Amino acid sequence: MADPFRVIAFDGDDTLWHCESIYSLAEGRLQALLEPFLRSEEVKRRLYEVEMRNLRVYGYGAKGFTLSMIETALEVTEGRITGKQVADILEIGHFVMKHPVEPLEGAREALEELARARPLALLTKGDLFDQEAKLAQSNLAELFTHVEIVSAKDAATYDRVLRRLGVAPRELVMVGNSLHSDVLPVLELGGWAIHVPYHVTWQHEVAGLPEGPHQERFAQVPSIRDVPGALKLFTQRVTPA
Ligand SMILES: [Mg+2]
């Protein structure tokens, strides 16, 4: 059977290695620090507001997150935060930035299996330094023939990357934990997408499941181990036996 797919692309954070769970721990620490001023749920809401406001200034990543935590603390305390407390928040940021990269269980095995048949690409968004360091620490870099670190993953970004690779959207399968960034824009372009949910999703990445004609090019699986199976299913849909 001819292989209809020329590139299998993977997201990094929460698809190949843990990420959001570390941010959740950091958020909990900020909530504890600001407890005398505001209740936890409210801190969470305010931090998210500040992050969204700053996204177009800082982009995604741990450094922008750290600055947003400081800004939130300044707002919540009406400027009464002490130098010691700023140092504590910087320490929370360092905790995120220096946290060891832990690949998701089964990620290496799934990548190894898939890499035998076709080129794999990593398509991840965020801070260049952060993402390069995570990839190096994950020990997965050798499995990718193409690595792309971008500041946002929308249809225009995918289109640009695919043009550069000389790959048509229908020849791409994207694998990721975010419906918002990894699935919907790819389906919109005419590509295929496999959603592997992570147990925590950042509010910004939450989106509804695809509907209508796109569903034929979409699959949702519980674990990265199930990606090779989903890919076989896609192949059968393109070239029925
Ligand atoms: Mg992700």
Side-chain angles (χ1 to χ4, degrees):
M1 194 189 295
D3 187 347
F5 304 117
R6 287 179 55 206
V7 173
I8 314 298
F10 281 82
D11 165 55
D13 288 347
D14 298 324
T15 298
L16 298 177
W17 48 74
H18 294 278
C19 174
E20 195 53 33
S21 46
I22 302 161
Y23 277 84
S24 291
L25 289 175
E27 220 172 76
R29 288 176 61 176
L30 180 73
Q31 286 171 338
L33 200 125
L34 294 178
E35 208 172 19
F37 301 93
L38 205 60
R39 56 189 187 86
S40 306
E41 268 317 294
E42 195 59 12
V43 171
K44 191 183 165 82
R45 192 184 63 77
R46 294 284 288 271
L47 173 63
Y48 184 69
E49 260 176 32
V50 174
E51 282 187 274
M52 288 306 102
R53 204 166 64 210
N54 286 338
L55 209 50
R56 74 183 86 101
V57 188
Y58 302 143
Y60 296 92
K63 293 185 209 101
F65 174 69
T66 306
L67 290 172
S68 290
M69 281 196 292
I70 296 175
E71 195 173 322
T72 305
L74 281 166
E75 281 184 17
V76 163
T77 65
E78 293 170 339
R80 281 171 293 152
I81 187 172
T82 65
K84 164 77 173 73
Q85 286 165 322
V86 173
D88 289 344
I89 296 174
L90 286 173
E91 173 48 36
I92 302 174
H94 282 213
F95 160 78
V96 174
M97 287 177 247
K98 292 182 193 157
H99 200 283
V101 175
E102 296 163 29
L104 262 72
E105 228 174 285
R108 167 165 278 277
E109 293 75 7
L111 291 175
E112 280 172 351
E113 180 179 343
L114 293 165
R116 282 197 283 273
R118 53 180 83 66
L120 302 186
L122 177 72
L123 187 45
T124 176
K125 80 171 175 218
D127 181 83
L128 181 64
F129 184 83
D130 263 2
Q131 292 293 328
E132 280 180 341
K134 283 187 189 184
L135 178 61
Q137 276 187 50
S138 72
N139 287 320
L140 299 171
E142 83 219 24
L143 294 162
F144 296 100
T145 49
H146 188 79
V147 174
E148 195 87 33
I149 298 167
V150 296
S151 54
K153 289 202 282 196
D154 51 19
T157 308
Y158 285 104
D159 189 47
R160 180 165 46 81
V161 172
L162 287 172
R163 278 172 200 278
R164 200 177 322 132
L165 293 174
V167 170
R170 65 169 191 285
E171 298 171 315
L172 166 78
V173 179
M174 178 72 196
V175 182
N177 73 298
S178 167
L179 287 165
H180 173 78
S181 299
D182 305 317
V183 171
L184 298 178
V186 173
L187 293 177
E188 189 190 317
L189 268 185
W192 299 68
I194 301 173
H195 183 223
V196 191
Y198 187 69
H199 65 277
V200 207
T201 306
W202 186 30
Q203 192 182 340
H204 179 64
E205 300 290 345
V206 173
L209 284 168
E211 288 173 0
H214 291 335
Q215 272 168 341
E216 209 202 31
R217 290 178 278 107
F218 171 73
Q220 190 178 53
V221 295
S223 152
I224 192 151
R225 295 180 210 277
D226 305 310
V227 169
L231 201 63
K232 276 184 198 130
L233 210 81
F234 280 178
T235 307
Q236 284 162 10
R237 283 184 199 168
V238 182
T239 47

